């Protein structure tokens, strides 16, 4: 069994970025300079996450064992980075979760940015997000099973 833990590139927002976002919500004419700074950070992080996802997918494609990949992608299920990994692995939330599962507990809207992926050699029995705030992320828990025919 190979277990990978990931933490892909964060946008790196500082307090003043969050304050700028709040001001933009309230004002009808947002600060163009702040928008450019924020969008520059978003773009840079997005590009880095694509590179990091490609590296992970390449590494995992060479493994002949059961694989579980967990961690903070800092990206949503509609992102290109998610697609890279989900093309090769299965999303435990999609297969064993229910309802919605946002994992980010920070100041931005409810987002699912933490994941548990697995290959076809294991399967998820249950999946849940624990609504206790230990950080700006909620913990995600999943029990995986290894079918009897591949146990040694």
């Amino acid at each position: 069994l190979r277990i990978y833990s990931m933490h892909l590139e964060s946008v790196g927002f500082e307090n003043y970025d969050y304050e700028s976002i709040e001001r933009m919500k309230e004002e009808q004419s947002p600060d163009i300079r702040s928008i450019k700074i924020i969008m520059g950070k978003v773009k840079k992080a997005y590009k880095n996450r694509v590179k990091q996802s490609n590296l992970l997918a390449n590494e995992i494609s060479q493994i002949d064992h059961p694989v579980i990949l967990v961690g903070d992608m800092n990206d949503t299920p509609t992102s290109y980075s998610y697609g890279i990994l989900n093309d090769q692995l299965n999303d435990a939330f999609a297969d064993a979760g229910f309802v919605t599962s946002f994992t980010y507990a920070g100041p931005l809207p409810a987002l699912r940015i933490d994941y548990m992926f697995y290959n076809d050699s294991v399967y998820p029995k249950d999946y849940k997000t624990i609504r206790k705030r230990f950080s700006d992320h909620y913990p995600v828990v999943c029990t995986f099973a290894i079918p009897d025919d591949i146990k040694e």
Side-chain angles (χ1 to χ4, degrees), residues 42-96:
V42 169
K43 182 179 178 181
K44 179 182 175 193
Y46 189 85
K47 285 182 176 182
N48 286 337
R49 286 193 297 271
V50 168
K51 290 176 190 173
Q52 293 162 352
S53 297
N54 279 321
L55 286 171
L56 277 168
N58 184 53
E59 171 71 22
I60 290 168
S61 72
Q62 299 174 43
I63 303 299
D64 293 333
H65 303 288
V67 171
I68 297 173
L69 169 64
V70 300
D72 178 3
M73 280 188 68
N74 280 306
D75 236 332
T76 66
T78 59
S79 70
Y80 185 78
S81 296
Y82 174 91
I84 290 169
L85 296 172
N86 196 51
D87 281 348
Q88 188 172 351
L89 299 169
N90 306 299
D91 182 347
F93 168 75
D95 296 337

Side-chain angles (χ1 to χ4, degrees), residues 100-113:
T100 59
S101 178
F102 58 91
T103 62
Y104 183 63
L108 293 176
L111 300 171
R112 182 166 75 102
I113 61 174

